[in-house]
Amino acid sequence: MTSAPASPAHAREAYDVVVVGAGFAGMYMLHRLRGLGFSARVYEQGGGVGGTWYWNRYPGARCDVESMQYSYSFSEQLQQEWDWSERYAPQAEILKYANHVADRFDLRRDIQFDTRVERAVFDERAKRWSVTTSGGETVQAQFVVLATGCLSNARKPDIKGLENFEGPVYHTGNWPHEEVDFTGLRVGLIGTGSSGIQSAPVIAGQAKHLTVFQRTANFSIPARNAALSAEERDAFRNNYPEIRRFAREVARNGIYAEQPDRGALDDSEDVRRGKYAGRWERGGLTFMYAYNNLGLDRTANDTAADYVRGKIAEIVRDPATAKLLQPNSHPIGTKRICIDTDYFATFNRPNVSLVDIKTNPIEEITANAVRVAGQDHEVDALVLATGFDAMTGSVAKIDIHGRGGRTLNQKWAEGPKTYLGLMSAGFPNLFIITGPGSPSVLSNMIVSIEQHVDWIADCLVHMRKDGLATMEAGGEAEDKWVAHVNEVAAGTLYPQANSWYMGANIPGKPRIFMPYIGGVGVYRRICDEVAAKGYEGFLIERAEQPQAAAS
Ligand code: FAD
Ligand code: NAP
């Protein structure tokens, strides 16, 4: 095994592994690879580590999985020593954490920042990937790991006239690094997903006027964010082995919380309302675990949706505005549920107005206004909280050529196809972290990231030990997995929503439920069994002469 380069200045032409992306996935992948003696190079298009938390610097950005759980578990010392300040840490603190991890594990020397991977071509004879970057550099690697992120390709909407707007236009997913000051400005906010819902109250507190343009009303639960006390932190720290085990193996979504043992219709209306009220008061994502059938049974789901609609009507004083804010187009939870701080109450402020762009879509953006139903809503600045080309967007932007020169985009033209979300047939030695077909975005993502990284690391060690040159998803195993992913999704209410899980937010994108909804515990067991059975379903090619991975 060759030793890793000391710095970009010592970059060389061949590595065991090229990793694309330096978010939480790429960082942990690098750490594992180094520890196992593989040479690795990470390319990151941004100027620093942290991925999501490097790019999404919009006002109000914070995690929606509690920080004591939305954090790495691979280092006992790290999880014991890092102090999260709040129940849901703000973006700046999560970015600080990512930087701390990079320093603590000395990751930067193998990461090349400000460098996009543009192209990756598999050479079938050499059994190597040839990876070309935005800097014009081409390197060879036996393996490529795409740690490119599920929510990393910010989507600017195709709204007529957007380019004519004369004020500043910001996208939440690509926010400037300098502070943006909205004081005294009239701000237009387009989009009411998690990003819009988190940013609206903060922007409203600063701007002269905030106009929110809402296409789809969304369900949101109060975060009840607060400072974390030392006792609260210790409650996690002292029980981390069990908390992390539960999140990995038992919880469907990688979050330690009590699991519901009954359906919503098993309780009387009074009891049910009491349960919802308790969860509303407690705040956070666990609202959806009040019952075990909210994602499965529409009548059960309606009871939770009605409860939230009722709360919106209680909070928002103007009945017409309250009605507009009440979601009616999808079952609760089938679009990623939002977690907010004072979102609905924001509409009681005199400097905030809500414009319905479902009934009357935006006609045009002019030099200084958003035109809806013939009326110009004048604004000085625009915030696009319009989301991402999720799960496949960042992968699709790389020109990836597998066996026979076929591109991944050609193969995925009708929707992504993978075996276990980890590999795609015809693309040997190319791994995806939290790829489509894995639980990824339906889970606490750090749990899913760590599971994938560990699985890939074990796989590479196995290949090195047995002198294997390539491994790839078998076509039959892949077809079966894709069918299974679809079948499990079809048994739930999720496909009923026009969500980014379905690709529905991107015009022309195939409508397929992309993540695996079978649960992280079940999924982990499947992955482990596949590995234990000699990587069942994968095609394995021996090196002509047994050799170390990339020597
Ligand atoms: P990312 O963090 O997206 O990192 C991928 C990196 O790859 C990026 O830095 C990108 O620049 C780089 N990259 C992509 N393509 C290329 C290329 N071709 N060349 C070079 N570099 C490239 N999940 C949760 O579980 N809990 C939360 O509370 C939560 N909150 C979120 C809040 C926001 C605002 C958003 C947008 C997402 C949130 N998520 C949350 C999901 C979040 O994306 C994941 O939790 C996690 O941070 C993903 O890490 P990652 O390393 O897989 O991807
Ligand atoms: P999103 O959920 O996709 O929401 C995008 C919003 O923009 C939607 O309201 C959408 O309306 C609207 N929109 C998109 N294109 C539009 C157009 N052309 N015209 C008008 N409206 C348009 O994106 P997001 O809010 O950035 O969140 C994406 C995901 O990132 C979340 O689901 C979550 O997983 C993660 N995230 C998490 C947090 C957190 O709380 N920690 C915060 C932010 C993001 P439609 O619904 O009608 O399409």
Side-chain angles (χ1 to χ4, degrees):
M1 197 57 35
T2 44
S3 63
S7 73
H10 299 99
R12 56 183 196 204
E13 289 172 359
Y15 298 90
D16 295 323
V17 189
V18 158
V19 178
V20 192
F24 284 131
M27 290 166 69
Y28 181 45
M29 189 76 245
L30 173 60
H31 176 64
R32 286 299 320 266
L33 290 169
R34 278 237 206 100
L36 293 166
F38 291 101
S39 64
R41 185 78 168 159
V42 181
Y43 294 104
E44 166 56 57
Q45 63 191 351
V49 296
T52 289
W53 306 102
Y54 174 88
W55 298 106
N56 290 261
R57 299 171 186 238
Y58 60 84
R62 56 179 73 245
C63 51
D64 60 5
V65 171
E66 296 184 24
S67 295
M68 293 304 293
Q69 301 207 53
Y70 185 68
S71 46
Y72 285 124
S73 71
F74 71 82
S75 162
E76 176 60 10
Q77 270 189 332
L78 173 66
Q79 68 182 5
Q80 291 299 333
E81 287 172 15
W82 181 264
D83 276 339
W84 292 110
S85 66
E86 296 175 47
R87 184 176 176 191
Y88 304 96
Q91 168 272 333
E93 189 173 327
I94 306 175
L95 184 59
K96 197 170 156 200
Y97 171 76
N99 278 288
H100 169 80
V101 171
D103 293 337
R104 186 176 186 126
F105 298 99
D106 187 23
L107 299 179
R108 288 178 212 282
R109 66 187 158 93
D110 290 326
I111 306 176
Q112 190 164 324
F113 294 108
D114 300 309
T115 308
R116 267 191 61 73
V117 166
E118 306 274 14
R119 187 175 158 86
V121 179
F122 187 68
D123 178 338
E124 293 185 58
R125 214 173 45 80
K127 301 183 175 59
R128 288 285 180 279
W129 283 94
S130 196
V131 177
T132 305
T133 70
S134 49
E137 182 188 4
T138 296
V139 297
Q140 315 298 317
Q142 187 180 2
F143 302 98
V144 172
V145 177
L146 300 178
T148 43
C150 294
L151 296 160
S152 52
N153 188 11
R155 168 80 187 169
K156 238 182 169 181
D158 302 320
I159 300 177
K160 188 179 159 200
L162 181 55
E163 68 285 1
N164 298 329
F165 186 69
E166 285 179 355
V169 179
Y170 306 100
H171 194 294
T172 49
N174 193 0
W175 200 262
H177 290 201
E178 313 73 51
E179 202 187 328
V180 175
D181 185 0
F182 291 118
T183 306
L185 299 184
R186 298 163 301 175
V187 180
L189 170 65
I190 302 177
T192 51
S194 301
S195 303
I197 281 178
Q198 280 189 332
S199 55
V202 186
I203 298 174
Q206 198 179 53
K208 182 170 163 202
H209 193 90
L210 172 68
T211 308
V212 178
F213 296 90
Q214 173 190 273
R215 190 162 69 182
T216 306
N218 238 320
F219 291 100
S220 189
I221 309 296
R224 312 277 181 218
N225 187 37
L228 271 179
S229 65
E231 292 72 35
E232 285 168 318
R233 280 195 291 261
D234 283 349
F236 276 93
R237 284 178 175 153
N238 297 337
N239 294 297
Y240 258 141
E242 173 55 14
I243 288 169
R244 300 298 202 184
R245 184 200 67 78
F246 189 95
R248 290 186 193 115
E249 295 174 14
V250 182
R252 291 179 68 80
N253 55 6
I255 298 174
Y256 176 80
E258 71 270 39
Q259 303 296 295
D261 59 358
R262 56 202 283 118
L265 308 177
D266 297 335
D267 278 337
S268 68
E269 194 178 337
D270 277 358
V271 171
R272 207 163 45 226
R273 285 188 65 78
K275 272 196 187 162
Y276 291 143
R279 283 175 185 269
W280 181 270
E281 284 315 311
R282 190 163 76 178
L285 291 174
T286 59
F287 181 84
M288 288 305 289
Y289 321 151
Y291 293 105
N292 61 16
N293 61 349
L294 296 182
L296 301 172
D297 178 315
R298 185 64 196 249
T299 313
N301 185 285
D302 283 344
T303 64
D306 283 344
Y307 181 85
V308 176
R309 284 189 281 262
K311 293 307 283 186
I312 297 170
E314 272 174 33
I315 297 167
V316 181
R317 285 198 287 271
D318 173 47
T321 306
K323 191 156 192 294
L324 259 185
L325 287 167
Q326 288 172 327
N328 281 300
S329 68
H330 58 283
I332 185 169
T334 56
K335 280 186 171 211
R336 169 82 172 200
I337 201 154
C338 305
I339 301 301
D340 71 275
T341 298
D342 297 334
Y343 175 66
F344 295 115
T346 294
F347 293 90
N348 293 332
R349 296 177 63 112
N351 70 332
V352 175
S353 41
L354 180 66
V355 176
D356 170 20
I357 54 168
K358 180 154 230 154
T359 321
N360 298 297
I362 296 173
E363 282 166 30
E364 184 175 359
I365 294 179
T366 67
N368 64 347
V370 179
R371 187 172 297 155
V372 179
Q375 189 192 339
D376 277 3
H377 299 270
E378 287 191 6
V379 290
D380 305 306
L382 269 178
V383 174
L384 305 175
T386 45
F388 302 86
D389 184 352
M391 300 207 73
T392 55
S394 285
V395 175
K397 276 171 96 173
I398 307 173
D399 185 21
I400 300 173
H401 294 249
R403 287 201 192 278
R406 191 179 189 207
T407 69
L408 193 61
N409 285 334
Q410 285 167 341
K411 182 177 168 190
W412 285 8
E414 277 155 30
K417 290 198 177 79
T418 67
Y419 179 33
L420 300 174
L422 279 158
M423 294 191 111
S424 192
F427 297 83
N429 293 0
L430 177 79
F431 295 93
I432 312 168
I433 299 181
T434 64
S438 74
S440 66
V441 290
L442 295 175
S443 67
N444 173 353
M445 294 256 332
I446 300 191
V447 171
S448 289
I449 285 169
E450 287 188 333
Q451 185 239 338
H452 267 187
V453 168
D454 290 339
W455 193 94
I456 294 167
D458 289 349
C459 176
L460 298 198
V461 168
H462 167 81
M463 290 182 71
R464 180 171 62 186
K465 183 169 72 58
D466 284 11
L468 307 178
T470 64
M471 171 153 145
E472 69 186 281
E476 202 184 319
E478 178 169 288
D479 287 346
K480 275 193 190 155
W481 182 252
V482 170
H484 175 62
V485 170
N486 287 327
E487 190 189 331
V488 180
T492 73
L493 301 174
Y494 279 75
Q496 293 185 18
N498 286 326
S499 65
W500 57 258
Y501 297 138
M502 296 286 295
N505 62 330
I506 305 295
K509 191 166 173 173
R511 297 241 175 155
I512 284 172
F513 191 78
M514 292 183 282
Y516 177 57
I517 201 170
V520 298
V522 170
Y523 172 77
R524 175 184 294 267
R525 281 193 288 285
I526 295 171
C527 291
D528 288 350
E529 275 167 29
V530 164
K533 290 182 185 162
Y535 294 91
E536 189 178 47
F538 288 96
L539 306 179
I540 287 165
E541 212 181 351
R542 231 158 233 295
E544 271 137 37
Q545 293 192 330
Q547 57 179 20
S551 319

